[in-house]
Amino acid sequence: MKNTCKRLTSVLLAFALIFTAVAVGFGSVQPANAAVQAPAKAANSKVSTVSTVEETVALLTDQGTPAANQSKKSAQDNLTDRAGGRSPSIIIPGIGQSDVYLLDENGNRAKDEDGNDIKNFPILIDTDYLLKTLALPLAKMLITQKDKGFTDLAAQAVGKSLAQSAVDFNGQPVSNLELERFPHSVAECTPEQREKIYRTIPLQDYTKVAGEEYLYFFTYNSYGNNLDAAQELYDFIQNVKAETGQDKVNIVPISLGSTIATSLIEVYPQVKDDLDKIIFIVPALDGSRLVGDLYNGTLNTKDESLYKTLLPSLMGDTYTAYLVNIVLRIIPKQIILDLLDKIIDQLKEVMILNCTMIFGLVPSEDYPALAQQYLSTPERAEIRRQMDIYHRAQTNAITNLKAFEADGVQVFDVVDYNFPLYSFVPSSETH
């Protein structure tokens, strides 16, 4: 019976972990079976098509696209010939690709029961508290097949278990955290740091051409403050210019990192004089429909999603995912739906409504209504002020980028197509 309770309690833990991770766009998305196809280029559009890593590297190393590149010079020759020297490149990674560590009361990295450093991604959650609090109520709910206050208790327990992941009304994490930074080039990193960077973003082909002394890795807290990160990025750009002696840099914003770049070009328009190229990679320039659906509280509750595709899409096509799917069927569907709604409400209150980095993943068309619904209270006035600035940056993003292009900054967008959203949001049927 004890083991059974533990297994069933894991369902609740999965809910908390899943919907926190989903709310921030965490996890890998598997491609559809259909062949990936890019839409046709619009008339007079400035679009370059690439299909390999080498071709993408060419964008950063000033070789142009292979189709347009008639020169037979080596990549190094092209770099050497370029007037003014090469521009260093700054990678702005995606969600969860910067390590942030929890610190203990003495300012040292906190350790888990296995002696490993505790990171804040995908989430900081007190699973021991959840197990102790919910094991017996869960068993009673399963025996009676009735709620009797279980979902309220479970949601409150989830909220308390997320205390270390909380974000305050100024948009700042409440826990004492340490962001791992790389203030100098990859060439000056330790072997361990260099291996970590390459494992996160495989850029070995780029550094073979441009040199590790011209590659930098900017880090940030995925659950942090967007405007703070934009200011740090601006300062980082100035430091890279000073360290390399170059007048301009390339920035390479990836996924969530593009929200920081969006704020950068809005709040610090003078940065255009510091930029050679902006190379977006699958950027969240206008958020994600998945996150918009979750902030709006709309879920796909069809049985196909809830009992079949939800967990495998998040956990991978694993035995555990399908086992949990089977366990889910033991719980009455209405209780599952009520529990999901209440857990999402807890996640909003404790964390994601105050987290300006994650709120930046809301599509611009959804923001006005959500801001009116959630950010109109006095305690969230500062969050509203900051998010209004970001919404303006998001709305102006294309106009700002075109203005940067007019001043000589080259802008590229490396993307792919026909990758489905997670099936548990309604937009998965249209986007």
Side-chain angles (χ1 to χ4, degrees):
M1 180 64 181
K2 183 177 180 181
N3 289 334
T4 301
C5 287
K6 284 185 176 181
R7 286 197 299 272
L8 294 175
T9 302
S10 69
V11 174
L12 289 177
L13 302 182
F15 284 151
L17 290 169
I18 287 167
F19 281 92
T20 301
V22 167
V24 299
F26 175 65
S28 59
V29 181
Q30 299 301 316
N33 292 328
V36 176
Q37 297 179 346
K41 291 190 286 186
N44 300 319
S45 66
K46 295 168 62 178
V47 176
S48 298
T49 301
V50 296
S51 57
T52 66
V53 171
E54 289 75 12
E55 293 174 14
T56 306
V57 168
L59 296 178
L60 281 169
T61 54
D62 237 21
Q63 299 172 69
T65 57
N69 181 25
Q70 302 300 321
S71 172
K72 294 185 179 180
K73 291 182 180 181
S74 69
Q76 191 62 47
D77 287 338
N78 275 282
L79 287 168
T80 303
D81 289 349
R82 184 173 170 220
R86 71 195 76 171
S87 296
S89 294
I90 300 171
I91 305 299
I92 310 167
I95 192 166
Q97 293 183 319
S98 302
D99 284 338
V100 181
Y101 299 93
L102 178 68
L103 301 181
D104 61 22
E105 62 275 7
N106 298 316
N108 301 315
R109 290 183 181 178
K111 306 289 184 180
D112 62 20
E113 59 185 13
D114 297 320
N116 299 315
D117 294 336
I118 298 176
K119 299 179 183 179
N120 81 329
F121 194 89
I123 195 170
L124 292 169
I125 185 169
D126 188 345
T127 55
D128 288 340
Y129 170 79
L130 276 181
L131 285 169
K132 293 175 182 178
T133 305
L134 298 179
L136 183 58
L138 176 61
K140 289 181 178 179
M141 181 272 291
L142 289 169
I143 292 171
T144 63
Q145 292 287 287
K146 294 181 179 180
D147 190 319
K148 293 186 176 180
F150 170 74
T151 55
D152 289 331
L153 174 65
Q156 292 169 9
V158 168
K160 290 181 180 179
S161 72
L162 293 170
Q164 289 182 309
S165 292
V167 180
D168 67 22
F169 291 128
N170 292 311
Q172 302 293 338
V174 300
S175 291
N176 192 12
L177 303 171
E178 176 196 337
L179 170 65
E180 183 174 18
R181 302 177 185 273
F182 304 94
H184 304 294
S185 70
V186 172
E188 296 185 53
C189 289
T190 66
E192 293 76 18
Q193 290 174 326
R194 192 178 297 114
E195 191 275 334
K196 177 181 288 188
I197 290 172
Y198 285 145
R199 186 174 66 248
T200 303
I201 309 290
L203 289 162
Q204 295 90 328
D205 287 343
Y206 171 67
T207 53
K208 287 176 183 177
V209 174
E212 290 185 336
E213 68 274 21
Y214 284 89
L215 180 66
Y216 289 76
F217 197 78
F218 175 81
T219 56
Y220 61 93
N221 182 359
S222 295
Y223 299 142
N225 187 285
N226 184 280
L227 294 179
D228 286 354
Q231 180 180 349
E232 291 172 10
L233 177 58
Y234 180 79
D235 294 339
F236 193 85
I237 289 170
Q238 309 314 312
N239 292 338
V240 170
K241 287 174 56 182
E243 185 169 288
T244 61
Q246 297 300 314
D247 294 331
K248 295 181 183 293
V249 303
N250 305 316
I251 60 172
V252 187
I254 302 171
S255 189
L256 179 65
S258 301
T259 68
I260 301 172
T262 296
S263 292
L264 175 75
I265 64 176
E266 171 75 21
V267 181
Y268 303 94
Q270 68 271 25
V271 79
K272 68 177 184 296
D273 297 326
D274 303 319
L275 300 181
D276 185 358
K277 298 184 178 112
I278 304 175
I279 308 235
F280 291 108
I281 299 180
V282 290
L285 285 174
D286 196 13
S288 166
R289 276 261 44 92
L290 182 148
V291 178
D293 283 3
L294 288 171
Y295 269 78
N296 280 302
T298 55
L299 298 174
N300 182 355
T301 57
K302 297 177 182 177
D303 288 355
E304 175 75 11
S305 170
L306 195 60
Y307 295 116
K308 186 175 180 180
T309 60
L310 168 59
L311 292 175
S313 70
L314 289 164
M315 301 170 63
D317 195 17
T318 64
Y319 171 79
T320 303
Y322 288 100
L323 179 61
V324 176
N325 264 345
I326 294 172
V327 175
L328 277 178
R329 295 178 182 275
I330 302 174
I331 305 174
K333 183 176 180 179
Q334 190 57 52
I335 292 179
I336 294 176
L337 298 180
D338 291 344
L339 182 60
L340 293 180
D341 286 341
K342 292 173 183 178
I343 285 179
I344 291 174
D345 286 343
Q346 283 293 319
L347 291 172
K348 288 177 181 176
E349 288 300 316
V350 173
M351 189 177 178
I352 64 175
L353 286 181
N354 295 341
C355 181
T356 58
M357 193 71 74
I358 300 307
F359 217 134
L361 289 173
V362 169
S364 58
E365 65 185 86
D366 292 355
Y367 175 73
L370 289 173
Q372 181 63 32
Q373 181 178 358
Y374 294 117
L375 304 183
S376 295
T377 56
E379 63 267 21
R380 286 204 167 95
E382 175 60 16
I383 300 297
R384 176 66 180 264
R385 184 191 71 82
Q386 294 183 34
M387 283 309 306
D388 282 351
I389 293 173
Y390 180 76
H391 178 60
R392 183 170 66 248
Q394 189 181 42
T395 303
N396 293 341
I398 301 303
T399 300
N400 288 340
L401 288 171
K402 288 182 177 180
F404 273 42
E405 279 195 318
D407 285 331
V409 180
Q410 298 180 67
V411 180
F412 301 86
D413 189 0
V414 182
V415 298
D416 213 333
Y417 299 89
N418 291 345
F419 278 71
L421 294 177
Y422 290 120
S423 61
F424 55 81
V425 291
S427 290
S428 64
E429 298 178 359
T430 56
H431 289 65

